[in-house]
């Protein structure tokens, strides 16, 4: 079962200025996450809005039949990207998608926005 990181590439943190920054904060974070996910079993994809503008930069971690999570309020840094990928790896290894708090990378602590239950089978 594949774990996906869905990254909002239109996210802009407060104070973002198009005249000073050729890329959105989301585009910067997406590129960093994609780089850190290379060579792993984690898949990434970009979307043009996760509707979490108050919490940018936003990502979702998802897999069929598992708990899904939305995380946000990241700075587009190498450390944040590595933390997201490391958490996604732990999510992939978990049968339910739930990762014990003691195994969370420090870079994702305090960044969880929502948790979604898996969809019911066959309904």
């Amino acid at each position: 079962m594949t774990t996906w990181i869905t990254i909002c590439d239109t996210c802009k943190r407060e104070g973002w200025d198009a005249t000073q920054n050729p890329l959105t904060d989301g585009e910067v974070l997406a590129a960093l996450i994609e780089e850190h996910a290379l060579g792993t079993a984690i898949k990434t994809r970009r979307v043009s809005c996760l509707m979490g503008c108050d919490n940018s930069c936003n990502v979702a971690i998802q897999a069929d039949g598992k708990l899904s999570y939305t995380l946000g309020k990241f700075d587009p840094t190498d450390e944040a990207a590595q933390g997201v990928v490391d958490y996604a790896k732990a999510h992939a290894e978990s049968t339910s998608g739930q990762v014990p708090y003691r195994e969370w990378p420090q870079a994702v602590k305090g960044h969880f926005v929502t948790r979604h239950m898996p969809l019911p089978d066959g309904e």
Side-chain angles (χ1 to χ4, degrees):
M1 188 172 320
T2 302
T3 291
W4 285 86
I5 303 172
T6 302
I7 311 146
C8 177
D9 65 4
T10 56
C11 278
K12 300 169 197 83
R13 293 174 304 142
E14 189 173 324
W16 181 82
D17 180 358
T19 63
Q20 301 295 316
N21 301 299
L23 301 174
T24 65
D25 295 319
E27 289 172 310
V28 173
L29 184 61
L32 291 168
I33 289 172
E34 291 162 350
E35 180 181 325
H36 284 282
L38 280 176
T40 73
I42 305 302
K43 301 284 186 189
T44 63
R45 64 181 178 162
R46 295 182 186 205
V47 297
S48 292
C49 190
L50 285 176
M51 297 184 76
C53 300
D54 290 340
N55 296 309
S56 57
C57 298
N58 295 289
V59 301
I61 298 177
Q62 306 162 288
D64 283 339
K66 294 185 177 187
L67 293 166
S68 298
Y69 297 90
T70 306
L71 296 83
K73 298 183 182 176
F74 287 108
D75 291 328
T77 65
D78 202 51
E79 179 184 3
Q82 184 64 62
V84 169
V85 171
D86 288 344
Y87 185 84
K89 288 179 191 175
H91 180 272
E93 293 171 4
S94 167
T95 57
S96 67
Q98 188 169 3
V99 177
Y101 181 78
R102 68 184 174 279
E103 295 177 21
W104 292 8
Q106 186 63 41
V108 301
K109 291 180 178 178
H111 292 273
F112 286 80
V113 178
T114 63
R115 177 175 76 171
H116 302 269
M117 300 299 120
L119 293 172
D121 288 334
E123 291 187 35

